Amino acid sequence: MVSRTRRLLVAAATAIAALVVVPASPAVAANIVNNPGFEDGLSGWTCTGAAAATNPVRTGSGSLAGTPSGQDFSQCTQQIAVQPNTAYKLSGWVNGTYTYLGVNGNGLTDRNTWSGVAGWKQLTIDFTTAAATTSVNVYIHGWYGQPTFYADDVSLDGPGGTPTLPAAPSGFSASATSPTSASLSWNGPSNATGYRVYRNNQLIASPTASSYNDSGLTAETTYSYQVSSVNSVGESPKTTSVSVTTPGTGGGNPGGPLPKHVLTGYWQNFYNGARALRLADVPTTYDIIAVAFVDAVPGRNGGVSFTLDSGLSSQLGGYTDAQFRQDIKTVQARGQKVIISVGGEKGTVWVGDANASNNFATDVKNLISSYGFDGVDIDLENGINATHMGNALRSIHAAGGKVITMAPQTVDMQSTQGGYFQLALAVKDILTIVNMQYYNSGTMLGCDQQVHSQSTVNFLTALACIQLQGGLRPDQVGLGLPASPRGAGGGYQSPGNVNNALNCLARGTNCGSFKPSTTWPGIRGAMTWSINWDASNGYQFANTVAPHLDTLP
């Protein structure tokens, strides 16, 4: 017979064992990146402006080399299936200044880190997926104007996910862009690898991007469109159908004046991941289309030229200069103005003396004569000479370039002593609009002498009133904003915020904590960088701001 003492000892041991919490075994770390060391070139990665390299490498025989060019910061992305509510560690070795490593996904806020020095450096990001996260996008990129960067040994440690059937795309929109074409865009689920586009219930295309241009249509005809998502598991349900009616072949208001309030957008003559568009694809919600950008002529101060970008042409299946010229006529026939833009973040056009001023005016007038542009946009970000640029603009205006716009940075318009502000005032009698860039800025001083942060209504209204109080007419002041978070390094705010700021300036309503002492009902409108990023985002900026402009006094 078991003694009472032994029974008590056994019972106590059992109770103690029951109280011991045995921790769950952590998931065994496993790198689930495909081709992490670029030993198989760019297999598994989707890249722009990047190539496989063999020197320098950190390990093995391959690495990634990315060379930012123009507005393309050379990004490579890989979509990877993951498990929800799970911890992961992303790491990668980079070599180059301003080289970024990041991750995002459905339900997962974008996370990134960067290296600012040359030489191999490991970057790491710890993150936990959300309940809705079934895949993530791992990306690497450089930055505008920086030299070639390299990357190697990218790792995402954690359990791989099981691919699931994608959901139907959301935010599907479609609009006629000409009598013979329609523009479609949507937001795809994170686990989609492609899409199927249906017109009148017939499959017409299988794009990998979340947009599509349908051409060859008939004028004054109604079409029904649907889109579905696909991946290795199968096809999602189709979206609810959207109907589009193409317009007639008659023009809108060719050669006529601009409306009282206008929306300006930049059309990208390059490809950087934003949706590639033919000029005629730009919807009529945009009143002014700024073609970005001219090219500086080497060795000729002030000299500029224009060439349709080969990368863009390739994305569009062979867009030609002749087609571009015809598209200018097409959008002008719809009542839109097309201007040629000079500058941008990489712009190096110098107009600092009389000779350069003459070169600049001569070349821009030649482009206007050759292509039929309605005018010119000045978007120089490397300094400006008000006297010599002003003389050039007057010569251009006298020769038929009647639409004169500018897109200075916030720092350029803080005071009437600045070169840009002086230029705007010097050509005030021929100036159409100044669309200051209210982004990529940080904090700035407003007309109320208070410091305001970008991405707020106060930032828009308090900085706009500096221009309005500094001598520009209300019809010469516009608000320039990025069309989506990917359109700028910082400063994005919702189109609804832009409308609130316009209301504040025009009516004194919907203001933030700062309310101007007066109103300017003639405030001209808004601008966005860019039409292409807006298209990638379902035209949310244009479809929100353009109708609101029509309601202003």
Side-chain angles (χ1 to χ4, degrees):
M1 176 181 240
V2 179
S3 69
R4 180 173 181 276
T5 300
R6 183 177 177 185
R7 289 197 304 272
L8 289 173
L9 289 173
V10 171
T14 302
I16 292 171
L19 292 174
V20 174
V21 178
V22 179
S25 299
V28 176
N31 186 6
I32 55 176
V33 175
N34 180 21
N35 190 23
F38 303 95
E39 305 300 321
D40 296 323
L42 300 183
S43 175
W45 297 87
T46 301
C47 303
T48 63
T54 56
N55 184 46
V57 299
R58 179 179 172 269
T59 62
S61 58
S63 66
L64 169 71
T67 305
S69 176
Q71 302 295 313
D72 180 7
F73 44 66
S74 189
Q75 178 165 305
C76 283
T77 304
Q78 183 173 143
Q79 186 180 90
I80 303 172
V82 296
Q83 296 182 11
N85 299 318
T86 304
Y88 289 85
K89 178 184 287 291
L90 172 65
S91 65
W93 289 83
V94 298
N95 182 349
T97 54
Y98 298 101
T99 307
Y100 288 72
L101 174 71
V103 61
N104 55 47
N106 185 35
L108 179 65
T109 302
D110 188 275
R111 300 278 305 279
N112 65 71
T113 183
W114 57 280
S115 171
V117 298
W120 289 108
K121 178 180 178 181
Q122 188 179 36
L123 302 176
T124 61
I125 300 173
D126 292 298
F127 67 94
T128 300
T129 54
T133 310
T134 56
S135 68
V136 296
N137 300 305
V138 171
Y139 62 86
I140 306 165
H141 65 73
W143 198 243
Y144 306 113
Q146 300 301 313
T148 299
F149 68 87
Y150 301 90
D152 203 352
D153 300 330
V154 183
S155 174
L156 182 61
D157 283 340
T162 301
T164 57
L165 188 72
S170 61
F172 178 45
S173 65
S175 61
T177 52
S178 79
T180 60
S181 63
S183 173
L184 288 66
S185 64
W186 56 89
N187 299 314
S190 61
N191 62 336
T193 57
Y195 307 95
R196 291 176 182 168
V197 178
Y198 296 85
R199 184 208 308 135
N200 298 339
N201 294 319
Q202 297 296 314
L203 177 65
I204 60 170
S206 299
T208 56
S210 55
S211 61
Y212 180 70
N213 297 320
D214 191 17
S215 58
L217 305 179
T218 302
E220 300 180 342
T221 303
T222 299
Y223 297 91
S224 176
Y225 291 97
Q226 291 174 289
V227 180
S228 64
S229 307
V230 295
N231 64 10
S232 60
V233 178
E235 180 179 9
S236 75
K238 299 174 186 176
T239 59
T240 300
S241 62
V242 173
S243 294
V244 171
T245 301
T246 53
T249 55
N253 184 28
L258 285 165
K260 184 176 181 180
H261 304 288
V262 299
L263 178 61
T264 303
Y266 284 83
W267 177 83
Q268 296 180 190
N269 181 38
F270 53 85
Y271 181 70
N272 66 346
R275 179 178 168 186
L277 297 172
R278 297 170 184 265
L279 195 70
D281 293 335
V282 176
T284 55
T285 43
Y286 285 97
D287 303 294
I288 302 176
I289 305 169
V291 174
F293 296 99
V294 299
D295 301 309
V297 176
R300 186 170 181 267
N301 287 335
V304 296
S305 63
F306 178 79
T307 304
L308 196 65
D309 182 71
S310 60
L312 172 67
S313 175
S314 177
Q315 287 291 323
L316 294 171
Y319 191 35
T320 67
D321 183 78
Q323 291 172 324
F324 173 73
R325 291 171 185 266
Q326 181 57 48
D327 281 354
I328 292 176
K329 296 177 181 179
T330 297
V331 299
Q332 288 172 333
R334 301 196 306 236
Q336 296 165 286
K337 304 297 184 184
V338 184
I339 58 179
I340 185 68
S341 183
V342 180
E345 186 269 339
K346 290 284 288 180
T348 56
V349 179
W350 183 82
V351 184
D353 60 25
N355 182 59
S357 175
N358 182 66
N359 289 342
F360 180 76
T362 298
D363 288 357
V364 172
K365 287 187 290 186
N366 287 339
L367 290 175
I368 289 174
S369 175
S370 175
Y371 283 88
F373 294 121
D374 294 292
V376 64
D377 169 68
I378 306 301
D379 186 18
L380 294 172
E381 299 180 8
N382 54 356
I384 203 160
N385 184 298
T387 299
H388 296 299
M389 179 58 81
N391 290 337
L393 291 178
R394 289 193 177 280
S395 177
I396 292 166
H397 185 269
K402 301 302 184 182
V403 181
I404 307 291
T405 69
M406 301 179 190
Q409 300 173 101
T410 53
V411 69
D412 296 320
M413 301 297 284
Q414 282 278 282
S415 165
T416 55
Q417 301 306 306
Y420 245 116
F421 215 137
Q422 290 178 350
L423 173 63
L425 295 176
V427 298
K428 181 178 176 180
D429 57 312
I430 61 171
L431 178 64
T432 305
I433 188 169
V434 174
N435 292 304
M436 189 173 76
Q437 303 174 40
Y438 293 77
Y439 52 95
N440 291 342
S441 170
T443 57
M444 279 288 164
L445 197 66
C447 65
D448 57 349
Q449 300 305 304
Q450 300 298 311
V451 175
H452 297 281
S453 299
Q454 61 182 5
S455 302
T456 63
V457 171
N458 284 346
F459 191 75
L460 304 180
T461 55
L463 269 67
C465 84
I466 295 177
Q467 300 167 55
L468 293 161
Q469 294 176 357
L472 293 181
R473 301 191 310 268
D475 66 287
Q476 294 176 317
V477 177
L479 308 180
L481 281 304
S484 74
R486 298 185 66 189
Y492 171 78
Q493 47 187 310
S494 70
N497 261 23
V498 180
N499 287 349
N500 287 338
L502 290 167
N503 278 339
C504 180
L505 294 168
R507 299 188 175 102
T509 61
N510 300 105
C511 299
S513 58
F514 167 71
K515 183 176 181 178
S517 58
T518 187
T519 58
W520 299 276
I523 192 77
R524 197 60 192 266
M527 171 275 281
T528 192
W529 178 268
S530 62
I531 298 170
N532 304 74
W533 283 121
D534 195 20
S536 298
N537 203 35
Y539 287 111
Q540 289 186 23
F541 192 95
N543 289 342
T544 303
V545 176
H548 184 72
L549 290 173
D550 293 336
T551 70
L552 294 181

